[in-house]
Structures are given as C-alpha cells and as structure tokens.
Amino acid sequence: MKLTKYGYDVIIISLLISTALILSGLWFNYTILKLLLITLGVLFAAFTLYFFRDPERTVPQVAIDDENIVISPADGKVVIIQEIDDKEYHNGKAIQICIFLSPLNVHVNRFPISGKVDYFKYVEGKFIVAFDDKASDVNERTHLGISNNKIKVFFKQIAGAVARRIVCPVNVGDFAKVGDKFGMIKFGSRMDIVVPVGTVINVKVNDLVIGGETILCNGV
C-alpha cells in the first residue's frame, strides 16, 4: 500500500505511539490490560496507515483532451450543489459543489483542471463539522483559483472538526496539471468547487465521487 508523502510526519509519530502501546501491553502480566494495550496499538497503527494511503488514479482521457472538463479534486460525498454569489474569484454568480470527506476517505487532493494557478489565499478559522453549511465561510481553509483558455475553477480545502492541518504547497504562477496531487487535508474535511454559471453539472447531492477520476462538470 502506497502512503502519501504529505503524511510522513504524522505516520512516524503515530507508529511510535503504537509501538509504545504494544510494548507496554507485552510488559504487563494482567491479561485483560495486556490485550487492551496491544489491540489499541495495532488498531491505531492500522488506522493511520489506512488514512494516509495514496492509491493510483486514472484521469479520464476526455479530461486530459478537453480543458472544459472538471474532475473531482477529492474523494467523498457530494453534500451541496447550489448557486452562489462568488465575489472572491468569479466576481458574480457561480455554482458551488461541496464534497464531504469522512475520516475513511482518501484525503490526498488533486487538481480539477489543467491551467495556471492565479489565486491562492490561506484563511485561519474555526473547526466546526465540515458538512455544516457554515464551514465554507468560517473554518480554516485554503482558497485556490486555476484558469485556462476555456474555464476558471475556484476551490477550497476546508478543515473539519477533527482536521487540524491543511497541506497545500502551491504558489501563484504554478502550472496545474489535471489529476496531479497538490496536497491534502488531514482527517475529516471538506472540498468546495466553484464553477461558472452555465456549467453542466454531472453529479447530484449524495453521489460518491473519486478524486482524479469522477467528472464533476463540463464548462460551457
């Protein structure tokens, strides 16, 4: 199982804690306590490795050939699709698609289109549950904008109630290639994608999407 480089620091610390729990369990003679500590250590290590998995993804050829195609930047469940007034990037009406990532989802994020990164902003904030409507405006998050000759896409990495660190080593001026990995949100989180009005949406609320593979929408 391949692990993401964005989680190496947490993986090392977690495995050290797991090892300490297991060794403590082996040291005790009290059977119930021994089994409890060993089990906790094994489960903690297993969950950490599972969470930071980084599976290979195949970007649809149509998304490579057509700059209008927007793919999902994250795994998860579509929880909101709505029209909004985007004053930050599109300067007008736009369509927002919100994807909720549970702790069991893959949390590595991928670029939804190819193009130039022309907007980046980090916002400190709260840590309310990521599926709450207000999370998009009040939680810790990063804002990114990518444009090409056909479409502009604005998206947000949003921390959740458990997540406490967003990884996003991206700078304005970078070239983004559709499907390439650009960071992650550690533990439960949310991803918002904002596209121009008139874009044809290919998903609906409650759909499960796969980062780097699911086509979210087609530009006009």
Side-chain angles (χ1 to χ4, degrees):
M1 178 175 60
K2 182 181 177 182
L3 301 175
T4 175
K5 64 181 180 180
Y6 303 125
Y8 286 167
D9 53 345
V10 176
I11 292 170
I12 292 172
I13 293 172
S14 297
L15 291 181
L16 288 174
I17 294 173
S18 297
T19 301
L21 287 170
I22 293 170
L23 291 177
S24 297
L26 294 172
W27 183 80
F28 281 102
N29 292 321
Y30 189 49
T31 303
I32 295 178
L33 183 57
K34 178 191 293 287
L35 291 175
L36 177 62
L37 289 173
I38 293 174
T39 300
L40 285 175
V42 171
L43 290 177
F44 188 54
F47 173 76
T48 300
L49 295 176
Y50 181 75
F51 179 84
F52 287 103
R53 66 197 186 281
D54 185 8
E56 294 296 328
R57 296 289 165 79
T58 302
V59 179
Q61 187 61 45
V62 65
I64 298 173
D65 296 337
D66 186 352
E67 292 182 328
N68 256 330
I69 302 295
V70 181
I71 64 171
S72 179
D75 287 27
K77 181 179 180 179
V78 178
V79 292
I80 298 173
I81 300 176
Q82 63 183 0
E83 185 174 303
I84 64 169
D85 185 14
D86 177 23
K87 297 178 180 179
E88 185 171 2
Y89 187 71
H90 287 95
N91 296 315
K93 297 294 183 181
I95 300 173
Q96 178 186 47
I97 303 171
C98 304
I99 300 169
F100 172 70
L101 295 77
S102 82
L104 298 180
N105 286 124
V106 171
H107 275 57
V108 176
N109 302 144
R110 298 171 181 269
F111 289 120
I113 60 170
S114 292
K116 181 180 179 181
V117 178
D118 52 16
Y119 186 82
F120 180 89
K121 180 181 179 181
Y122 169 75
V123 182
E124 293 184 356
K126 301 178 180 179
F127 297 97
I128 65 174
V129 289
F131 52 79
D132 191 304
D133 288 354
K134 295 182 293 185
S136 180
D137 298 318
V138 302
N139 277 20
E140 178 188 16
R141 59 199 183 275
T142 58
H143 298 188
L144 295 97
I146 298 178
S147 62
N148 57 41
N149 292 326
K150 294 185 177 180
I151 193 170
K152 296 176 61 176
V153 177
F154 178 52
F155 51 106
K156 303 178 184 180
Q157 293 173 296
I158 304 170
V162 178
R164 286 292 190 266
R165 185 180 176 194
I166 296 173
V167 180
C168 189
V170 177
N171 298 297
V172 170
D174 288 351
F175 176 76
K177 181 180 178 182
V178 62
D180 276 4
K181 292 170 280 193
F182 71 86
M184 74 178 299
I185 318 167
K186 296 183 178 180
F187 305 103
S189 51
R190 174 171 151 179
M191 179 76 74
D192 286 3
I193 303 93
V194 183
V195 295
V197 166
T199 301
V200 178
I201 308 300
N202 295 340
V203 294
K204 59 184 183 300
V205 172
N206 293 325
D207 278 357
L208 300 179
V209 295
I210 299 174
E213 294 189 353
T214 302
I215 295 176
L216 292 183
C217 50
N218 304 327
V220 295

